[in-house]
Each structure stands twice: as structure tokens, then as C-alpha cells.
Amino acid sequence: MIVQTKPKGSNAERSRYRNRQAVLGQVREAGAIGRAEIARALSLTTQTVSNIIAELCHDGMLLEKGRRSVGRGLPAMQYALNPKGGYALGIEVRPDAIFAALLDMQGNAVATERVALRGNRPDAVMDHVSHLQTQMLDQEPVARNRMLGAGVVMPGPFGVTGITGMGSDLTGWQEIDAEALFAERLGLPVVLSNDANAAAMAERINGVAQGIASFAYLYFGAGLGLGLVHDGQLVRGAYGNAGEIGHIPIPGLGGKLEDALSRLSVQSHLRRAGKEARDIDMLDRLFQQRDPDLMAWLETATTALGHAMAIVENIFDPQAVVLGGAMPDAILDHLVTRTPLTDLSVSNRPHAPHPRLIRGASGRMTATLGAAALILNRALGAPGSNVH
């Protein structure tokens, strides 16, 4: 689910807000750009763009980067994002830990923190979140008065559904207004999303899905999630629970998809063999050693991923499927190269511009950084969008 604060006020005020977003989006895409170029790209008058740029420079969000000669006349002043002009907080709540990241305007992580959880009920989580926010603002004091908002990601499903009570659930959150709770505690506008959606948008903004308008993102969190992006927008479903693919039964595997294809799955498999793999570093070491128990799990996992691909491709017709999340790169690469892809798929087409299955971003902080990226994406906007 995505819940976000919408600009309020008159139509003129909303138009001004969107135009600011669009100008920032153009600057972000170009790196450095002049007023006339922005005006042409957005079909706005040069005077309107000049006024917006003056405001953004006054607010500290843009910097002058010197003049560049463009044809005849006075060389045009170039403008770029001020990295310290705004900050986004990303919070990821997992069943056993909270991850936090503070990103500057250019998407650089200036502070990251992690805390282990003994319990994940709302009161315990909120106490940790407040402490993490204080820690990171202490590391980057200039951010205190320049916060753009907070992105919060949590594993789905949201609300009481027929698939609650699973190992990847958070305790006591099903009937909580999480967006309001986080907004009150953090004192910031909040975007609430599941972890797969946040990771998908991070790939769309800064990852392998740049330039891919419609794609699916299979995300390794504790379980297995699916983020769907169509025409650059997330597909959320009626209650924010679109993409709960991990709970789909898979014939022949004796259970649901994430029983064979998730971090909980591989950890349980290895534990039954008397081995521990508490984090992705330990999983990576086992893979480099070609541990026989891990390789046996991967054999089943590739079969399960093949089933998942057939479902995703034939239902959603994506340009590509991206695989990423809290797994080592080597394991993701193994899954990408070894997974059997059925010929009976709408994605099996000649001269396709993208591979059917692509390895995306990986690591512990994938969804955390994605959460903060949701805030930056909202503040900076897509180039050329929301112009009035």
C-alpha cells in the first residue's frame, strides 16, 4: 500500500507545487541545466521557470553551477541539485530488525543504522524508530530543518486477510493505521509501502529498470514479494496488497511459493541440516563453498522461480522481471541463469529489447533505500510530469 500526503489548497497552489516538482525533475535528470532548456522541456514560459528557480535557490534546493555557452548571446547559467538541499528518511521494518537510511537530494546515503528486534509489536517498533531518527539526524545535523519526509516499508499483507499469520508477518499491525502512527512519531509526511513496491521503485529510479516503463520485481525479503510497475506507476490493488505472490500454491512443491523461494525458506532448509545462515554474508560464504545443502535448496528454488515467472509473465505481460532483495549477488545470478523459463509465455518473443529475467539491486538495505527513494521521487518528480 502507498499512502501519501497530497498537496492541499487552491488549484493555483497545487499547480505551483507540481511545477516545482517538474523543474526539480528536469534538473535531476540533466545533472546541470539552464532555464531556457527547462522551459522548452516543460512547455512553460521562461519567466515562470525563472520564478520557480529563484524560489528553489532561495530554499537551498538548487545551486548555480556556472555558465555554459549555448549558441549566440550571454552564456546560460546552469543549475544543479544541492545535495544538502533536502533529505529523505527511509525506514524498513522486518520481523526481526529495523533498518534506517538517510538520503540526501542526490540519493546518496549519508547515514544508515540497524537495530535488532526482540518483538515487533507497534509500541516496541515506534520506540526504536524514534531513536534511529535521532541517531541519524545527529550524524547529519543540517538535515534537521531540511527533511522532505519519511518512506516506511513493511512486509504485507496490510489489514486482516486470509493470508495473515505467516512467518513474515508483523505482530499486532493488521488493524493499526500505520501511516498515521509513523507520521505522528516522526513528525514528517509519510509514504507507506510494502517492501517489494519500494524496492521496485528504487530500481525504476536508480537501478536496472531505468527506462523500463512496465516491469515486475520479485523481491527477497523475509518472504517473497512482488512489486508491479505499469507505465511508470505502481499497481497497488484495492487494499494495497497486490503482489502477494509468495502465498500462491505451487503444484508439486507441497506448499506455497515462498516455502521454496524466500530467505526464510533457505534458512529453514539449512537449519534442518544443522547449519546457520543468519545473514546474506553467511549465505554468500556457503554458496562460494558450493555447500551441498544450499545447492540442493537452489535446485528446488529454480524450479519454483520458473513457476513464478510463468504466472507473472502471462498475467501481467511485463517488459522484464527483475529479481533482487536481501540475497547475495552470486545467488541471484545463479537463479537468473539457471531458472527454466517456459516457452509458453507472452514474454517469449523475438527481438525483445530486455532479457526476461534480470538481476537487480541486492543487499540488506535494498528496500530501506527504496523507501527513502519514494520520498525523493515524490519531491523531485518525474521529468515532464505534473506540469500545469
Side-chain angles (χ1 to χ4, degrees), residues 305-355:
L305 182 54
H307 285 294
M309 288 289 294
I311 292 168
V312 171
E313 288 181 338
N314 285 311
I315 293 178
F316 298 107
D317 189 22
Q319 292 172 272
V321 176
V322 179
L323 183 69
M327 277 286 187
D329 285 351
I331 288 181
L332 293 175
D333 286 336
H334 180 94
L335 290 168
V336 167
T337 57
R338 301 294 181 88
T339 293
L341 302 180
T342 179
D343 292 339
L344 300 175
S345 168
V346 297
S347 295
N348 180 26
R349 54 197 311 130
H351 314 302
H354 308 286

Side-chain angles (χ1 to χ4, degrees), residues 71-352:
R72 298 180 179 179
L74 184 68
M77 179 60 71
Q78 302 294 290
Y79 297 91
L81 292 180
N82 178 7
K84 297 182 179 295
Y87 293 83
L89 179 64
I91 300 287
E92 180 186 2
V93 183
R94 296 183 187 175
D96 59 352
I98 301 175
F99 289 74
L102 185 66
L103 303 191
D104 67 18
M105 280 272 282
Q106 291 184 329
N108 303 310
V110 298
T112 60
E113 295 288 345
R114 175 190 181 278
V115 63
L117 287 177
R118 293 186 177 180
N120 53 44
R121 291 187 175 277
D123 54 350
V125 167
M126 285 301 120
D127 288 343
H128 285 300
V129 163
S130 293
H131 183 62
L132 287 169
Q133 181 186 29
T134 299
Q135 278 185 291
M136 289 196 295
L137 291 178
D138 285 345
Q139 293 178 51
E140 186 78 1
V142 70
R144 291 185 183 279
N145 297 318
R146 293 183 176 271
M147 292 301 299
L148 301 172
V152 178
V153 298
M154 308 170 73
F158 293 103
V160 178
T161 74
I163 56 173
T164 51
M166 304 296 177
S168 58
D169 282 356
L170 300 178
T171 306
W173 287 85
Q174 283 70 33
E175 297 184 9
I176 293 289
D177 184 346
E179 183 262 343
L181 189 61
F182 278 101
E184 179 181 2
R185 184 60 67 97
L186 295 170
L188 296 170
V190 166
V191 173
L192 177 68
S193 171
N194 66 38
D195 44 13
N197 280 346
M201 287 309 291
E203 286 290 351
R204 165 78 171 152
I205 296 165
N206 292 315
V208 298
Q210 292 181 79
I212 304 179
S214 297
F215 67 96
Y217 187 104
L218 284 168
Y219 175 74
F220 281 105
L224 184 73
L226 175 66
L228 296 167
V229 176
H230 178 66
D231 286 341
Q233 302 297 318
L234 285 168
V235 177
R236 304 181 186 97
Y239 301 100
N241 289 321
E244 287 294 334
I245 195 171
H247 300 288
I248 293 177
I250 298 297
L253 294 178
K256 59 187 184 297
L257 180 60
E258 68 180 30
D259 291 338
L261 188 66
S262 67
R263 203 170 70 250
L264 285 174
S265 167
V266 66
Q267 289 170 336
S268 296
H269 178 87
L270 291 170
R271 197 173 297 119
R272 289 192 295 270
K275 299 170 183 176
E276 281 294 328
R278 293 184 300 274
D279 56 38
I280 62 175
D281 290 335
M282 296 176 74
L283 279 173
D284 192 42
R285 284 195 293 272
L286 289 173
F287 182 80
Q288 300 306 327
Q289 297 163 6
R290 293 301 188 268
D291 177 84
D293 294 300
L294 176 58
M295 301 313 288
W297 177 83
L298 282 168
E299 186 70 25
T300 302
T302 55
T303 301
L305 182 54
H307 285 294
M309 288 289 294
I311 292 168
V312 171
E313 288 181 338
N314 285 311
I315 293 178
F316 298 107
D317 189 22
Q319 292 172 272
V321 176
V322 179
L323 183 69
M327 277 286 187
D329 285 351
I331 288 181
L332 293 175
D333 286 336
H334 180 94
L335 290 168
V336 167
T337 57
R338 301 294 181 88
T339 293
L341 302 180
T342 179
D343 292 339
L344 300 175
S345 168
V346 297
S347 295
N348 180 26
R349 54 197 311 130
H351 314 302

